[in-house]
Amino acid sequence: MAKMKFYCDAERCIECNACVTACKNENEVPWGINRRRVVTIKDGEPGERSLSVACMHCSDAPCQAVCPVDCFYTTEDGLVLHDKDTCIGCGYCFYACPFGAPQFPSAGAFGSRGKMDKCTFCAGGPEETGSSDEHRKYGANRLAEGKLPLCAEMCSTKALLAGDADVLSDIYRKRVINRGAAALEWGVNLDKANVRHTPGMSGKASSKS
Amino acid sequence: MSRYFQTFLFGPLFILLACLTLPATAPAVAQQDTGAMPLTVPNPSNDLWRAVRQREAPASGRTQVRGVDSGVLITQSGEAFRNYRMETFIGYAGLFIGVVAALVLLFYLVRGRIDIPDGRSGRRVRRFVDADRIAHWVTAVLFIVLAVTGLTLLFGRFVVLPIIGADAFGALANVFKQVHDYLSPVFLISLLVLVVRFAAKNLPARGDLKWITSGGGIIGNAHASAGYFNAGEKIWFWSVLAFGVVVSVSGLLLLFPVFGLSREIMQLALIVHGIAAVLFIGGSFGHIYIGTIGTEGSLESMTTGYVDTNWAKLHHDRWYEEVKDQAEPTPVSDTQRTPASMQPPAADKA
């Protein structure tokens, strides 16, 4: 089976946050929940880059390892999904996840956590595929309809890619080779990741690709 | 014929040889392939992720999404938290609790119940007023409920889930988590009431050191002299306060995720909460053992509020000297409940 992955190309992401909005709309996530977020580092400084981050669907997922009720499962497509009926809202997955993917609605007294919610790769959950229960708890199941996650499908610059890891690698490798050739032609030191601000260089290396 | 024979003989032999040697040559071929490539392909995004990951301080970016640490791309401490919890803490916590339980059992088997050698006097003396006992039992019941629910959440995935199944355990854990969350603030209040009520009697006093150096009379039959509380009880009391405060403060941090505390603080709180709780539970085994089956006549001090005068003389001689004038005959209903005290009251002249 294919292993489904996200890939976000920092050279292409323009921080438009459309993936965040599309995800919220498609999955009708509760108020205060963002399954996906765009983080900009060095905002307004040389070397600014943005990345769209959600669940990375790790092969050895920390959330899955620490869950006290073992509510996570990995699908044949390599997606890490969870069962909200079993989840107790303890928050351990959020502490363990390196990417901050698990999100919790505020529910009950003291503003304690409700059932964890996270990116499902638009693949629903353990409920019957296409059922209203599945949609209510986990959002869309686009994968069952032969579609990819909406965030990646509608990304205007095709920075965010989703799909079979091998296909993504091929796409990305082609991009990098093009960019690398262009950058080397310009004599840019990529180790410093400062492609856009080499003295005497006009324009962007990435615009050559 | 001999050529066919040679083919039959050497053919498989050659294949076998090839199977053994080819894997060794394959990497060399692969290395030649990559070596032939003129350029190592630069990958700006790999560099970016590596830089984000290896940065000492949390790589805090800017994001439109409001949430805890939402500007952080990668937290390094999550992996350490996972490894500590799954590979160190849960194992050692189980080992510790098992060893403490085994030691208590071993002590019981070796030493047996500590009886009152002279038997019961049939006269009793007041030890705990009702307020003391209510404070004790409220705290004790809450402690046991919190310990059972907490231990289930800690070990349940490995112990309970395989037995009752994922769905049933999920439902059970949901209830237990709610019970744990809602009762914990009550436990803190009852603990503080308990501390206020018992603190004065647990201040270190003359004779405590001697009680400790004589081992509290655990070994052998020589009983160490003690006042209202002996040094062992005092150590347990202050341990309860220390563990109780640590467990409560760390628990309160975990209870209120709305304040936007960072994940690092939450991880630390959970680690501290776990260690303190497991030590607390281990200590409670000793306390419960001594207070119930370990010592004759101890439990009734907390159930009825009174103790037999011979028990007081044996375990808290200096306190008994102060209160022996207040001794009164044990009511019949109480003596019926405890057949061991059916002896005539004449044994005690005080």
Side-chain angles (χ1 to χ4, degrees):
Chain A
M1 284 301 283
K3 289 294 171 209
M4 291 297 182
K5 290 287 176 201
F6 282 118
Y7 179 74
C8 183
D9 190 339
E11 300 298 304
R12 283 179 174 239
C13 180
I14 57 170
E15 197 199 347
C16 68
N17 276 288
C19 49
V20 180
T21 314
C23 172
K24 284 176 82 81
N25 193 53
E26 181 73 1
N27 293 304
E28 296 177 41
V29 291
W31 179 253
I33 300 279
N34 288 286
R35 291 181 176 182
R36 178 169 281 290
R37 67 190 197 279
V38 177
V39 178
T40 305
I41 61 169
K42 295 187 183 176
D43 194 14
E45 294 168 33
E48 173 184 319
R49 293 289 186 282
S50 294
L51 283 168
S52 178
V53 193
C55 174
M56 293 290 194
H57 299 281
C58 308
S59 28
D60 177 23
C63 54
Q64 197 163 14
V66 299
C67 179
V69 293
D70 203 9
C71 79
F72 291 89
Y73 62 98
T74 305
T75 69
E76 299 182 308
D77 297 327
L79 302 179
V80 178
L81 302 182
H82 71 295
D83 188 339
K84 283 194 180 185
D85 293 337
T86 312
C87 172
I88 60 172
C90 64
Y92 297 176
C93 51
F94 178 59
Y95 306 154
C97 175
F99 305 107
Q103 301 287 304
F104 294 87
S106 187
F110 326 127
S112 62
R113 295 188 179 91
K115 308 280 187 186
M116 189 272 275
D117 190 276
K118 75 167 187 68
C119 162
T120 64
F121 209 86
C122 285
E127 306 285 345
E128 191 192 335
T129 300
S131 65
S132 60
D133 272 351
E134 184 189 52
H135 191 270
R136 181 170 50 80
K137 289 178 189 168
Y138 307 99
N141 191 343
R142 293 171 56 88
L143 223 60
E145 299 164 4
K147 301 169 186 168
L148 287 168
L150 190 63
C151 52
E153 289 256 38
M154 49 61 61
C155 178
S156 59
T157 60
K158 289 285 165 274
L160 185 62
L161 304 174
D164 186 346
D166 293 339
V167 178
L168 295 194
S169 302
D170 286 346
I171 294 171
Y172 184 61
R173 199 176 298 120
K174 279 174 193 160
R175 287 185 184 180
V176 165
I177 288 169
N178 287 338
R179 269 180 220 149
L184 286 170
E185 204 175 306
W186 284 94
V188 173
N189 183 356
L190 280 158
D191 287 344
K192 289 180 179 164
N194 206 0
V195 180
R196 294 175 184 176
H197 290 271
T198 303
M201 188 181 89
S202 59
K204 297 173 183 176
S206 55
S207 66
K208 284 275 179 184
S209 62
Chain B
M1 274 307 275
S2 73
R3 268 188 71 178
Y4 282 114
F5 178 75
Q6 277 178 354
T7 313
F8 273 112
L9 184 68
F10 291 110
L13 209 68
F14 178 76
I15 290 167
L16 187 73
L17 205 71
C19 287
L20 290 172
T21 53
L22 271 180
T25 57
V29 175
Q31 273 166 12
Q32 277 172 5
D33 279 356
T34 50
M37 278 184 72
L39 286 173
T40 51
V41 177
N43 183 342
S45 285
N46 270 6
D47 292 342
L48 178 72
W49 276 103
R50 207 172 293 123
V52 164
R53 185 179 167 81
Q54 289 176 346
R55 198 170 294 180
E56 289 295 319
S60 192
R62 190 168 293 180
T63 176
Q64 303 300 315
V65 168
R66 294 274 167 269
V68 175
D69 293 344
S70 56
V72 179
L73 279 170
I74 295 187
T75 39
Q76 300 273 22
S77 61
E79 191 66 10
F81 165 77
R82 170 203 174 163
N83 289 337
Y84 165 77
R85 183 176 167 82
M86 305 314 291
E87 279 157 31
T88 308
F89 178 64
I90 290 183
Y92 280 105
L95 188 71
F96 174 77
I97 288 176
V99 165
V100 171
L103 286 177
V104 169
L105 185 69
L106 189 73
F107 183 79
Y108 179 67
L109 294 175
V110 171
R111 185 69 172 79
R113 190 177 73 154
I114 296 169
D115 294 322
I116 306 171
D118 302 336
R120 297 197 179 227
S121 65
R123 292 176 65 77
R124 65 179 196 176
V125 63
R126 185 85 165 172
R127 183 155 170 83
F128 295 115
V129 298
D130 291 347
D132 287 343
R133 290 189 292 131
I134 290 167
H136 174 266
W137 285 118
V138 169
T139 311
V141 169
L142 287 172
F143 177 84
I144 289 168
V145 171
L146 291 172
V148 168
T149 52
L151 289 176
T152 306
L153 294 178
L154 183 62
F155 298 117
R157 178 175 172 173
F158 311 102
V159 179
V160 185
L161 191 148
I163 299 168
I164 65 173
D167 288 343
F169 180 66
L172 182 79
N174 256 309
V175 173
F176 275 19
K177 195 249 181 190
Q178 298 298 328
V179 168
H180 198 85
D181 282 2
Y182 283 84
L183 288 186
S184 49
V186 188
F187 174 74
L188 176 58
I189 295 165
S190 77
L191 182 82
L192 293 177
V193 171
L194 190 79
V195 166
V196 168
R197 289 212 61 86
F198 284 96
K201 287 168 178 167
N202 279 288
L203 293 173
R206 198 177 299 165
D208 284 347
L209 210 60
K210 201 178 161 194
W211 189 94
I212 292 169
T213 52
S214 68
I218 284 177
I219 312 299
N221 289 319
H223 256 89
S225 172
Y228 187 86
F229 284 131
N230 64 40
E233 287 169 305
K234 288 178 184 179
I235 290 168
W236 171 241
F237 174 83
W238 295 111
S239 306
V240 166
L241 178 62
F243 286 132
V245 166
V246 172
V247 166
S248 298
V249 169
S250 58
L252 285 173
L253 292 178
L254 294 165
L255 198 55
F256 295 97
V258 285
F259 295 143
L261 293 169
S262 74
R263 276 169 289 184
E264 284 78 9
I265 293 176
M266 288 299 214
Q267 289 160 0
L268 191 66
L270 193 62
I271 288 168
V272 168
H273 191 76
I275 294 173
V278 165
L279 292 176
F280 203 174
I281 289 166
S284 78
F285 284 3
H287 175 70
I288 293 169
Y289 168 76
I290 294 171
T292 55
I293 57 168
T295 320
E296 183 189 5
S298 280
L299 187 61
E300 60 203 58
S301 68
M302 266 301 164
T303 53
T304 67
Y306 291 90
V307 289
D308 195 89
T309 51
N310 279 358
W311 180 92
K313 222 186 291 182
L314 183 69
H315 295 292
H316 299 276
D317 51 335
R318 278 183 281 130
W319 168 68
Y320 177 67
E321 290 302 317
E322 294 167 22
V323 297
K324 63 182 176 185
D325 299 339
Q326 298 155 24
E328 60 184 44
T330 308
V332 180
S333 58
D334 278 7
T335 54
Q336 278 174 344
R337 256 213 310 263
T338 50
S341 60
M342 286 296 275
Q343 288 135 350
D348 189 89
K349 293 288 187 289

